[in-house]
Amino acid sequence: MRVPLSWLAEYVELVPGTTPEQVHAALVEVGLEEEDVHTFDLVGPIVVGEVLEFVEEPQSNGKTIRWCQVRVAPDGETAADGGEAVHGIVCGARNFFVGDKVVVTLPGAVLPGPFPIAARKTYGHVSDGMIASARELGLGEDHDGILRLSTLGIDAPVGTDAIKLLGLDDTAVELNVTPDRGYAFSIRGVAREYAHATGAAFRDPVHQTEATDAATGGFPVVIDDQAPIRGNIASQAFATRIVRGVDPSRPTPAWMIARLKLAGIRSLSLLVDITNYVMLELGQPIHGYDLDALRGGIVVRRATAGEPFTTLDGKARTLHAEDVVVTDDRGPIGLAGVMGGAETEMGDTTTNVLIEAAHWDPVSIARTARRHKLPSEAAKRYERGVDPTIGPVAVARVAQLMVDLAGGTADDGGSIIRTVPERAAILLPDGYVERVTGIAASDDEVHDALAEVGGVITRVEGGFSVVPPAWRPDLTGPEELVEEVARLGGYERIPSVLPVAPPGRGLTRSQRIRRRVADALAVGGATEVLSFPFSNEADNALYGSVDGSPVASVKLANALDATNALLRRSLLPGLIGAAKRNRSRGLVDVALFEQGLVFLPEAGREYGSSELPVGAALPGDDALAELDAGIPPQPRHVAALFVGDSVTKQPGQAAIAAGVVDALDAVRRVGLAAGAEIEVVQGLHQAMHPGRTAELRVGGATVGFAGELLPAIAEAADLPRVVAVLELDLDAVIAGAVVQPEASTIGTFPAATQDLSLVVGVEVPAAVVADSVVEGAGELLESLHLVDDYRGQGVPDGSKSLTFALRFRAADRTLTAAEASEAKLAGAALAGERTGAAIRD
């Protein structure tokens, strides 16, 4: 919101000499946010001049210029630049006449740009200044001709300071208005806030305009909302007023153009400028209709789905059933609260005007503005909340300006509809301000602060009963009232006290394990990433299904990207995309991991809630249960990806490429961090390389896969042929983890170590052989590790030699070599029975 200081001073007392910085500082104290300062960036001398004569001189370039004699000071006086009273000026415009009053920028002046003005030789003359256009002065966009003061209704003496005359000496402060402070989108609201901050006298513009409570000879208006959103009808207040006999050709006064320009709105025409001016002044958007173009009365209703409508910008739009439209006998004539229609707009031939000031449902307006991509100054105010009681005053103010400036006559025609319910009282308990903020505010201070913002205060048992003012829809509970007391009393009074954590709280077991898992993967050299949870049908089918069977996905109602409109079933597509981006930027050795939710709906089941609860009320247990039931399963997964070299080349060390070993090592780290025993067995996954894929189990249940992507998939993603990946259902791993780990006893007797080499068919997994050896060796076996998998000379075709390193230990004695050998042979025997393994000679 841009606030011209001259306008602000009309409704709150500004000490002479008050700077924009001081205004900003005061408003920041009451919670508004400082943005910028805006001026017209003009430096004088810029004066009123009179064209005495001119000679048109054709030039060799085909252009015709005028060599003008312009009086810039009264006869016999010195000009503002110290020169003669009459200046010779070269001008390329041809839209002025002898005797016209114009704006002259004399040598030494500076126009926005900056563009300094000096006497200079051009077209064979010394041009001693410049005759300015509206655009050059910052008053508008017209650059085709110079500004003739008669078009603004101005006839000032020659030599008058044009900057002050046109209101170009004003300054505006810009504020960032937060969504809960919609009332500050008006001069009225900002003036009130400045009064709160400084104690300056506030003069409410509402009290300066006389508005009748009900118009006679009423204009017919009907509110017919058959489908209110959340029970709120489209409009609870609607005021109209008729002004007849306006002259649309009259110019907008210079002071109004200047104020609108500083406020960020360009001047269009007098009638439109007046409606915009009142919107900025009071915060109530105004719409004006050409009364003679209306057919019958006005009906406010919801649009019919697919109903066509052409807005003021000339675009044909297809309406939604939630849109609110203003209609007459022909159909829609306005998209309520957003933009009017082309057929009834005020134009150059308008002589009779119907003024409308309505209060629209904020939710309806916000949805319509976003649905049709029509952000507007009106919608910005409506969706944040407009004072529902100010409509009659606003239409009266517009009528007054149209009478004063456009020569119209306000008649008794009009209408007022008001069905706004009374604001409910809020109980502010005694001592609540101090409990929430730490500020020891007295009862008188609380009462005065809430009365200052417009509340009606009543002392009741146990506290204050406060009825908030109509212009503050954000005040809905005691917490908001506490904020008002705190900000008006000064935020600096809030003490800095560290909160004391309640005993017995902290991270849950699941949260602690998730953090340990992330730490373990990060310590192992992987970098955590966060990717968008959006995917597409092909990726969900490839990575979200082990064997290619059809899967269901959750589709987004309003996707950010139409090509990724589904919620992901796997974390791997996000990691693959991150790896691709990193490699394209020269980071070829990549190790990434991510923890995040995946979305696994059941096929054929509908999800969602039949009706969303109202946002302003706490939903009940039944509503919460329905919402929970409408959410698909969302387990938390952990995934990792390795590509490039896991060990870089260095002196004495060749590079080691990342592969399935790195993925399995990451699985081991996850298991150790979670306290879960993750079993690794040979597996199959449609996206992974056969023979290089491991199925991961906890407690016999599959919780994920690890391995290498199919080379074709890796190459399609612009990655090397070898890409190692893993994905685990982390929630399932945590559920299967040991709740209370127990430390194993450290043996005090020496260990006996032996090796065991077994020859077995290549189709037999090493893990199956190892499990048989462990079971057969019994309790004396302390550990077993596979140290070699040999296939070559000395081993029959179709077979492999697996060598295990065994360590034996007894808790009560030193083992003999014979006892260790006996246990080893028992393990070999059981492996032979189950897998056909034989001890290698």
Side-chain angles (χ1 to χ4, degrees):
M1 174 69 186
R2 296 183 181 183
V3 182
L5 296 189
S6 66
W7 203 351
L8 182 66
E10 290 186 6
Y11 303 121
V12 67
E13 185 177 352
L14 289 183
V15 177
T18 301
T19 65
E21 290 74 21
Q22 290 171 328
V23 174
H24 264 152
L27 294 173
V28 166
E29 288 182 5
V30 289
L32 296 175
E33 298 179 10
E34 172 186 347
E35 283 290 328
D36 204 352
V37 174
H38 299 272
T39 67
F40 284 98
D41 295 327
L42 295 172
V43 177
I46 300 177
V47 300
V48 174
E50 180 183 3
V51 179
L52 300 178
E53 63 178 0
F54 59 79
V55 177
E56 294 191 346
E57 298 179 354
Q59 304 297 312
S60 58
N61 60 4
K63 182 177 180 180
T64 298
I65 61 98
R66 287 181 173 181
W67 170 238
C68 309
Q69 299 300 312
V70 183
R71 182 178 298 281
V72 295
D75 190 23
E77 296 186 12
T78 302
D81 66 336
E84 299 293 333
V86 177
H87 281 40
I89 298 175
V90 173
C91 185
R94 305 177 67 183
N95 67 318
F96 59 94
F97 308 95
V98 171
D100 275 343
K101 296 285 184 68
V102 294
V103 176
V104 181
T105 58
L106 298 175
V110 180
L111 296 179
F115 182 66
I117 303 299
R120 63 190 185 95
K121 187 173 182 179
T122 179
Y123 293 109
H125 300 282
V126 175
S127 184
D128 202 15
M130 186 180 78
I131 306 175
S133 69
R135 182 177 179 183
E136 288 163 340
L137 295 171
L139 272 177
E141 299 302 318
D142 184 9
H143 194 56
D144 293 335
I146 59 94
L147 176 63
R148 300 167 61 211
L149 293 179
S150 61
T151 63
L152 298 179
I154 295 174
D155 184 15
V158 169
T160 301
D161 183 353
I163 294 179
K164 186 174 182 179
L165 176 70
L166 299 176
L168 303 179
D169 56 344
D170 204 356
T171 301
V173 293
E174 183 176 0
L175 306 168
N176 179 29
V177 179
T178 54
D180 61 328
R181 310 281 289 277
Y183 64 92
F185 272 118
S186 67
I187 305 297
R188 179 196 187 202
V190 175
R192 183 184 288 110
E193 289 300 302
Y194 186 81
H196 294 336
T198 64
F202 169 62
R203 300 177 289 272
D204 194 340
V206 168
H207 299 155
Q208 300 178 30
T209 301
E210 184 177 351
T212 56
D213 191 52
T216 58
F219 184 86
V221 176
V222 176
I223 309 297
D224 183 22
D225 186 359
Q226 299 298 320
I229 297 178
R230 298 177 181 175
N232 296 321
I233 64 172
S235 179
Q236 296 178 329
F238 201 100
T240 62
R241 191 75 183 270
I242 293 175
V243 178
R244 301 183 186 276
V246 298
D247 181 359
S249 65
R250 286 196 181 184
T252 301
W255 57 266
M256 182 177 285
I257 294 176
R259 286 183 174 180
L260 290 174
K261 178 69 175 179
L262 276 179
I265 295 180
R266 64 189 180 94
S267 174
L268 297 174
S269 66
L270 175 60
L271 300 181
V272 175
D273 289 349
I274 289 173
T275 61
N276 285 333
Y277 187 84
V278 174
M279 176 186 68
L280 293 173
E281 185 174 68
L282 301 180
Q284 168 68 61
I286 304 291
H287 188 72
Y289 301 92
D290 186 329
L291 181 63
D292 298 326
L294 290 173
R295 300 178 186 173
I298 283 178
V299 176
V300 175
R301 61 172 172 83
R302 298 282 172 178
T304 304
E307 189 172 9
F309 177 60
T310 301
T311 45
L312 274 174
D313 55 5
K315 292 186 178 180
R317 303 182 185 276
T318 301
L319 302 182
H320 187 276
E322 280 189 355
D323 293 334
V324 180
V325 289
V326 180
T327 69
D328 63 2
D329 292 348
R330 87 195 80 187
I333 58 174
L335 197 53
V338 179
M339 186 174 284
E343 292 183 294
T344 58
E345 68 173 316
M346 297 182 296
D348 296 339
T349 60
T350 299
T351 56
N352 301 315
V353 178
L354 177 71
I355 309 163
E356 168 211 299
H359 179 266
W360 302 109
D361 172 43
V363 173
S364 296
I365 301 308
R367 291 183 179 180
T368 295
R370 284 156 179 76
R371 183 181 299 117
H372 296 287
K373 297 180 175 58
L374 269 177
S376 66
E377 290 292 327
K380 181 167 62 176
R381 287 164 172 78
Y382 281 126
E383 64 189 20
R384 288 166 171 81
V386 170
D387 184 352
T389 66
I390 204 174
V393 175
V395 295
R397 173 66 167 149
V398 173
Q400 172 194 333
L401 289 173
M402 287 188 176
V403 169
D404 294 343
L405 303 179
T409 302
D411 70 10
D412 293 331
S415 58
I416 296 177
I417 295 175
R418 184 182 294 153
T419 59
V420 182
E422 296 294 328
R423 296 291 299 272
I426 302 170
L427 176 63
L428 180 63
D430 287 334
Y432 196 64
V433 172
E434 185 171 4
R435 290 201 299 273
V436 173
T437 66
I439 298 174
S442 65
D443 287 352
D444 288 343
E445 183 181 351
V446 172
H447 178 280
D448 293 346
L450 296 178
E452 189 175 348
V453 299
V456 178
I457 321 298
T458 305
R459 182 67 192 183
V460 297
E461 183 178 356
F464 289 105
S465 174
V466 182
V467 178
W471 61 83
R472 292 298 299 274
D474 58 306
L475 300 183
T476 58
E479 291 79 12
E480 288 80 12
L481 298 181
V482 169
E483 182 183 3
E484 293 303 296
V485 175
R487 76 183 184 89
L488 295 191
Y491 288 126
E492 70 279 358
R493 297 174 58 195
I494 300 176
S496 298
V497 180
L498 290 176
V500 178
R505 297 186 182 180
L507 297 177
T508 65
R509 171 176 175 267
S510 176
Q511 289 172 330
R512 290 196 302 271
I513 292 177
R514 295 205 303 264
R515 290 194 178 190
R516 289 205 302 266
V517 168
D519 290 344
L521 291 173
V523 169
T527 300
E528 185 173 13
V529 298
L530 294 174
S531 56
F532 285 115
F534 312 126
S535 186
N536 53 61
E537 187 174 351
D539 284 344
N540 274 359
L542 179 61
Y543 299 102
S545 173
V546 174
D547 55 5
S549 56
V551 295
S553 297
V554 177
K555 186 174 183 179
L556 297 169
N558 187 20
L560 294 174
D561 180 359
T563 61
N564 289 285
L566 306 178
L567 290 175
R568 65 188 177 191
R569 292 185 62 95
S570 169
L571 302 180
L572 291 181
L575 290 180
I576 292 171
K580 177 180 178 179
R581 285 191 297 274
N582 278 274
R583 288 184 63 87
S584 69
R585 289 160 173 78
L587 302 175
V588 295
D589 301 325
V590 177
L592 306 173
F593 77 95
E594 179 176 6
Q595 287 189 35
L597 299 179
V598 297
F599 306 85
L600 309 178
E602 299 175 13
R605 178 178 171 183
E606 292 291 332
Y607 290 94
S609 177
S610 58
E611 183 176 354
L612 292 176
V614 177
L618 182 68
D621 293 340
D622 293 342
L624 291 175
E626 183 181 357
L627 289 173
D628 287 339
I631 299 174
Q634 300 178 28
R636 185 176 297 274
H637 281 200
V638 60
L641 178 146
F642 306 88
V643 65
D645 291 338
S646 59
V647 177
T648 58
K649 182 180 179 182
Q650 52 194 292
Q653 173 66 60
I656 300 177
V660 67
V661 174
D662 297 279
L664 294 176
D665 182 62
V667 171
R668 178 185 63 82
R669 289 177 179 273
V670 171
L672 289 174
E677 185 177 345
I678 301 178
E679 182 184 3
V680 180
V681 299
Q682 189 75 37
L684 290 173
H685 192 290
Q686 62 169 339
M688 296 184 187
H689 198 299
R692 294 181 176 272
T693 301
E695 181 180 339
L696 310 174
R697 299 174 181 172
V698 172
T702 300
V703 296
F705 290 85
E708 295 177 2
L709 290 180
L710 287 170
I713 294 176
E715 290 178 358
D718 297 324
L719 296 175
R721 290 176 58 85
V722 178
V723 179
V725 296
L726 71 94
E727 183 162 11
L728 283 162
D729 184 338
L730 188 54
D731 286 346
V733 172
I734 294 172
V738 177
V739 176
Q740 187 63 46
E742 294 184 5
S744 58
T745 303
I746 299 176
T748 58
F749 291 91
T753 59
Q754 294 193 15
D755 289 340
L756 174 63
S757 295
L758 298 175
V759 177
V760 68
V762 293
E763 74 280 357
V764 179
V768 175
V769 178
D771 289 343
S772 300
V773 172
V774 170
E775 184 179 346
E779 296 182 355
L780 293 179
L781 181 61
E782 186 177 73
S783 68
L784 173 147
H785 296 287
L786 178 65
V787 297
D788 188 40
D789 182 338
Y790 174 72
R791 310 177 191 197
Q793 187 176 1
V795 176
D797 292 341
S799 299
K800 59 185 177 182
S801 173
L802 302 177
T803 300
F804 299 95
L806 311 176
R807 185 170 67 225
F808 299 92
R809 193 193 306 268
D812 57 351
R813 66 188 188 281
T814 299
L815 289 178
T816 64
E819 288 177 306
S821 297
E822 182 180 355
K824 177 183 72 173
L825 293 174
L830 184 58
E833 292 177 9
R834 292 182 175 178
T835 66
I839 297 176
R840 182 179 177 187
D841 295 334

